[in-house]
Amino acid sequence: MSDNSATLSENNQAFFDDFASSTKRPSWITDLWIQITAELHARLNWIGIPTSHEDESTDCKEKTYSFRLLDYACGEGTLSRNLFNYVDEAWGIDLSAGMVKSYNEQAAALDITKRKKMVAVQGDLLSPSRENHGGTLFAGKDWFDFDVAIMSMALHHVASPEDAVRALVERVKEGRSVVFIDFVSGSMVRRGAGPHGVGKGGHGHGTEDLPGAHTRTREGFQEEEMKKMLIEAGCDDVGFAEFGDLTRMEFGDEVVMGRLFVAKGKKARKGT
């Protein structure tokens, strides 16, 4: 890992550890997750999550098959919880120990049957120095052969998005999906009295001075950029869909509006 990548990881870990320790969440973050959940629920089959196991194998019908989710950069587990009715196992990974602690505490509060599982560990699939990031654990069979792997609102935080896409593709079964939710690049517009607005109701661009800017490497991605990364990582059946409504974020007197997307690809089967 380069010095710049190491610093970026340390910045993200410290920033989200601090966020996890806060007892108050801005209302716009709750609204953001409501929006993401609604968009994913409307596209479950499209992103590779069956709404019923009836169309799966005989083993599945006999309840011996487990549909497994990898929630990478899982945070507090909001995505895992909101998809938990459709999966049997949710496995989370996050750089932040604080986020992982919150994920597991919230999982423990759920009424989970013996057949279901929701657990997170601290780690980094993108670090070549894996012995320092739970590498022995991630080399185990539990961390492969997922039915779907999702990275939500985190691809813009990593040094190499291409490596992140490849890392998730590596972890899913052939014919199964990887999914990314993030911002459309160039969609950010600021409104407010800050330096990029023009008085109240003014408009401007740029997020380099907003909280957490030191944890980000870019503002978002374009459709062709995402499709290219997915195809080069070994996916076919790639797709990209923008969210219907803009996403609103608030930072003091600054309001930032942006457009989210969901991108997906299926890991190509060998010989296809």
Side-chain angles (χ1 to χ4, degrees):
M1 177 183 286
S2 70
D3 290 343
N4 288 341
S5 296
T7 300
L8 182 65
S9 294
E10 291 165 359
N11 287 344
N12 273 282
Q13 184 173 345
F15 182 83
F16 288 103
D17 276 343
D18 184 65
F19 182 86
S21 68
S22 172
T23 58
K24 186 176 181 181
R25 297 287 182 272
S27 61
W28 68 262
I29 292 181
T30 300
D31 293 340
L32 169 67
W33 281 110
I34 291 172
Q35 181 186 26
I36 290 173
T37 299
E39 293 282 351
L40 291 184
H41 282 181
R43 297 181 171 89
L44 287 174
N45 287 318
W46 184 76
I47 64 174
I49 300 179
T51 54
S52 168
H53 287 325
E54 292 304 311
D55 60 347
E56 294 288 341
S57 66
T58 301
D59 286 344
C60 183
K61 293 178 185 178
E62 294 173 354
K63 303 299 182 183
T64 61
Y65 173 83
S66 290
F67 192 93
R68 305 175 67 237
L69 161 70
L70 173 61
D71 187 353
Y72 188 62
C74 62
E76 296 176 299
T78 306
L79 182 73
S80 291
R81 294 194 307 278
N82 289 339
L83 294 177
F84 203 58
N85 285 340
Y86 304 100
V87 305
D88 299 301
E89 299 178 13
W91 296 72
I93 301 174
D94 201 280
L95 273 174
S96 164
M99 287 293 189
V100 167
K101 180 175 182 290
S102 180
Y103 182 112
N104 288 326
E105 288 174 347
Q106 295 188 51
L110 296 177
D111 183 18
I112 298 177
T113 68
K114 290 182 178 179
R115 187 173 173 269
K116 301 197 76 168
K117 183 183 187 78
M118 180 175 165
V119 64
V121 301
Q122 183 185 11
D124 181 5
L125 291 179
L126 307 183
S127 171
S129 179
R130 296 191 175 188
E131 66 274 14
N132 295 324
H133 295 272
T136 301
L137 174 61
F138 295 143
K141 65 180 183 178
D142 284 340
W143 296 101
F144 289 90
D145 291 335
F146 287 94
D147 294 285
V148 63
I150 302 181
M151 187 176 187
S152 180
M153 303 304 294
L155 196 61
H156 62 276
H157 286 282
V158 303
S160 173
E162 296 84 358
D163 286 347
V165 174
R166 282 192 292 268
L168 264 62
V169 172
E170 180 185 17
R171 301 286 165 166
V172 299
K173 300 173 183 174
E174 291 180 5
R176 298 300 190 178
S177 296
V178 293
V179 180
F180 298 87
I181 299 102
D182 218 296
F183 285 103
V184 177
S185 61
S187 70
M188 298 285 196
V189 176
R190 295 174 69 150
R191 302 187 176 112
H196 292 270
V198 188
K200 292 294 183 182
H203 296 260
H205 296 272
T207 60
E208 63 278 358
D209 64 326
L210 292 177
H214 63 298
T215 71
R216 301 188 291 269
T217 59
R218 65 200 68 215
E219 288 188 355
F221 304 85
Q222 289 291 322
E223 177 175 357
E224 292 309 312
E225 184 179 11
M226 288 303 307
K227 288 181 174 179
K228 182 174 184 287
M229 287 192 290
L230 287 162
I231 291 169
E232 290 182 349
C235 289
D236 54 22
D237 191 16
V238 301
F240 183 100
E242 294 186 5
F243 284 17
D245 295 324
L246 291 175
T247 297
R248 176 188 176 96
M249 296 159 285
E250 300 177 7
F251 305 94
D253 62 356
E254 291 276 6
V255 174
V256 181
M257 306 295 291
R259 179 80 62 184
L260 291 177
F261 69 81
V262 54
K264 60 99 177 187
K266 288 187 177 180
K267 185 176 182 177
R269 298 181 186 275
K270 292 179 181 177
T272 61

